[in-house]
Amino acid sequence: MILTARALKKTYGITPALAGADFEIAPGEVVAVMGPSGSGKSTLLHCIAGIIAPDEGTVEFDGRDLGSMSDVERSALRRSEFGFVFQFGQLVPELSCRENVALPLRLDGVARRVAEQRADALLEALEVGGVAKQRPGTVSGGEGQRVAVARALVTDPRVLFADEPTGALDSLNGERVMELLTAAARERNTAVVLVTHETRVAAYSDREVIVRDGRTRETVSS
Amino acid sequence: MAIGTTFLGLLEAGPRHGYDLKRAYDERFGADRPLSYGQVYATLARLLKNGLVEVDGVEPGSGPERKRYAITDAGVTDVERWLAQPEKPEPYLQSTLYAKVVLALLTGRGAHELLDAQRAEHLRLMRELTARRRDGDIADVLICDHALFHLEADVRWLELTAARLDELEAVVA
Ligand SMILES: Nc1ncnc2c1ncn2[C@@H]1O[C@H](COP(=O)(O)OP(=O)(O)OP(=O)(O)O)[C@@H](O)[C@H]1O
Ligand SMILES: [Mg+2]
């Protein structure tokens, strides 16, 4: 397992968002996280990605305990080992799509030319090479999500976290994003944690975990 | 839909006469197609022959309508197995799934388990179709899409039903 979480609990005020959730994922695996609205899916994702700290429970990435890291160590880990795709609003509007994809590498000190070459290769792979010079505001929703996927993968992360990546797309574009996202992840042996409401999107996973009332349940099919 | 097993599920709560069974069945599951008496007695005769029900009492007079039927241990096992076994995913399963959910509640078995098992079975097939779609040509894509949309509709129904089980239990149990 590349990422393992045990007995996670998280309460907001008096709202129990997680009440004993477990999670694990192997390298290259695609796991769908499903469950009713408000059941704790996003909270689970934020905890296992080290964005928020659980009140109780442990998260281990590659044998390292996230809870005993400093904030600086944790954010360094997030930057180098994790990639993120959300439903919308994640690209910097002032930068071109190419610059957006290259940004994580630039922040890591990679030279502009090298970073942009890698960005272009990924944009090509996600079939949006044509929008490299455009700003995010001028591309379609489906194209924008593919650019976001390219940006999430540009650092070759070990785990890609995607929270409703197709939530704002129609089915045709949603399908395409899922096909390209899973193909790119498999090629790099990147694990994918995929939060989604849609069963058709979950069908791209190898396995699903259901969250209900802050608890996880794995459904094993016969 | 499996009339025999549905009868068994209804009999689990207590013995009934044939006409009483027909009435219970029509009320709950027969909305657009009530059973004929012929079907009722043919089904009961088959269940009797297979040892799934037994005659629990006979009232004075003659004819099949005098008999009262009770479920046997083998019958209970049959219901158990039917409820636990997910249906093969295919379009228009709704009436069978609905009957399973109602009978699970009526007989005090968990309906969540059967809904979860069915959902997992649907998702397993959807994964298979998604893989076939990915590796296929445009004809495969269109054929798989059709199946996927139908299965997705079933899954939505399973999810909504799971969310409404308490409400349903209050009216059927
Ligand atoms: N920052 C927060 N402050 C207060 N309450 C929160 C916060 N984040 C989540 N919650 C609450 O925690 C519970 C779980 O929320 P979460 O966002 O994890 O659900 P979800 O499963 O992702 O829902 P959805 O499918 O609607 O996105 C909800 O009751 C929510 O209102
Ligand atoms: Mg959420």
Side-chain angles (χ1 to χ4, degrees):
Chain A
M1 293 298 148
I2 183 75
L3 189 68
T4 310
R6 293 274 169 260
L8 296 181
K9 293 191 180 173
K10 177 75 190 176
T11 301
Y12 291 108
I14 55 160
T15 313
L18 290 180
D22 298 316
F23 185 85
E24 56 179 31
I25 190 166
E29 200 182 15
V30 181
V31 177
V33 178
M34 299 196 77
S37 187
S39 59
K41 303 181 295 294
S42 295
T43 308
L44 174 65
L45 184 140
H46 293 151
C47 283
I48 62 180
I51 296 173
I52 59 171
D55 300 334
E56 284 178 47
T58 55
V59 181
E60 273 189 15
F61 169 77
D62 207 10
R64 298 156 67 196
D65 178 26
L66 264 62
S68 49
M69 290 180 189
S70 69
D71 287 351
V72 176
E73 286 172 322
R74 229 182 351 257
S75 65
L77 176 87
R78 274 203 311 271
R79 264 217 338 252
S80 62
E81 311 284 8
F82 296 166
F84 296 91
V85 182
F86 299 107
Q87 191 169 340
F88 36 50
Q90 45 199 320
L91 298 172
V92 183
E94 292 80 13
L95 300 179
S96 71
C97 289
R98 172 187 291 135
E99 287 165 336
N100 263 283
V101 176
L103 186 61
L105 294 175
R106 298 284 292 135
L107 292 174
D108 273 347
V110 176
R112 172 184 294 270
R113 217 175 53 85
V114 178
E116 294 197 343
Q117 262 171 11
R118 273 211 249 161
D120 282 346
L122 260 168
L123 287 169
E124 265 327 306
L126 288 157
E127 299 176 356
V128 277
V131 304
K133 288 185 194 148
Q134 289 171 239
R135 289 191 175 188
T138 69
V139 306
S140 77
E143 289 164 344
Q145 277 311 71
R146 295 190 220 174
V147 174
V149 171
R151 190 177 67 174
L153 289 172
V154 78
T155 55
D156 269 329
R158 310 280 296 282
V159 187
L160 176 68
F161 296 93
D163 196 345
E164 301 283 1
T166 62
L169 305 180
D170 65 23
S171 18
L172 197 58
N173 277 289
E175 293 288 340
R176 201 71 198 123
V177 165
M178 283 313 301
E179 273 168 24
L180 295 166
L181 184 156
T182 48
R186 282 187 210 291
E187 201 170 293
R188 293 167 173 73
N189 207 32
T190 308
V192 180
V193 181
L194 172 67
V195 172
T196 181
H197 275 100
E198 296 170 80
T199 322
R200 290 205 67 187
V201 173
Y204 283 88
S205 69
D206 301 311
R207 175 164 76 80
E208 95 177 307
V209 167
I210 296 183
V211 185
R212 202 168 278 156
D213 300 328
R215 292 173 199 280
T216 42
R217 270 176 328 115
E218 189 123 354
T219 66
V220 187
S221 88
S222 46
Chain B
M1 199 168 87
I3 301 171
T5 326
T6 312
F7 275 11
L8 291 175
L10 290 169
L11 284 173
E12 234 192 282
R16 292 173 190 258
H17 287 93
Y19 60 79
D20 194 20
L21 261 178
K22 168 179 157 51
R23 220 197 42 223
Y25 182 98
D26 288 347
E27 233 172 66
R28 292 187 189 278
F29 312 117
D32 25 271
R33 261 187 302 157
L35 296 176
S36 70
Y37 279 101
Q39 267 176 306
V40 173
Y41 292 110
T43 304
L44 283 168
R46 181 168 53 77
L47 295 176
L48 201 57
K49 194 175 114 232
N50 294 336
L52 303 173
V53 300
E54 60 196 10
V55 176
D56 178 61
V58 185
E59 279 162 28
S62 64
E65 65 279 9
R66 305 284 168 195
K67 287 183 190 153
R68 203 164 64 146
Y69 297 87
I71 191 166
T72 62
D73 289 347
V76 173
T77 309
D78 217 56
V79 177
E80 190 89 45
R81 199 182 314 126
W82 185 63
L83 290 178
Q85 176 70 45
E87 298 293 318
K88 189 169 169 297
E90 59 192 5
Y92 315 116
L93 264 181
Q94 168 270 338
S95 63
T96 303
L97 293 180
Y98 173 72
K100 279 190 164 183
V101 170
V102 170
L103 286 172
L105 293 176
L106 273 177
T107 57
R109 293 180 174 91
H112 269 299
E113 288 74 9
L114 88 83
L115 289 171
D116 281 350
Q118 190 64 55
R119 191 178 180 294
E121 189 64 16
H122 268 66
L123 196 59
R124 194 186 57 72
L125 181 57
M126 289 178 74
R127 284 202 176 92
E128 237 174 76
L129 290 164
T130 301
R132 196 190 308 164
R133 182 185 188 284
R134 183 182 54 221
D135 304 330
D137 58 18
I138 180 69
D140 292 317
V141 168
L142 293 177
I143 289 163
C144 290
D145 272 346
H146 184 263
L148 281 163
F149 281 120
H150 277 281
L151 291 164
E152 183 185 35
D154 275 354
V155 171
R156 283 197 186 176
W157 182 86
L158 292 168
E159 284 169 351
L160 280 177
T161 304
R164 290 172 173 163
L165 274 184
D166 291 348
E167 212 179 310
L168 181 63
E169 188 159 20
V171 297
V172 301

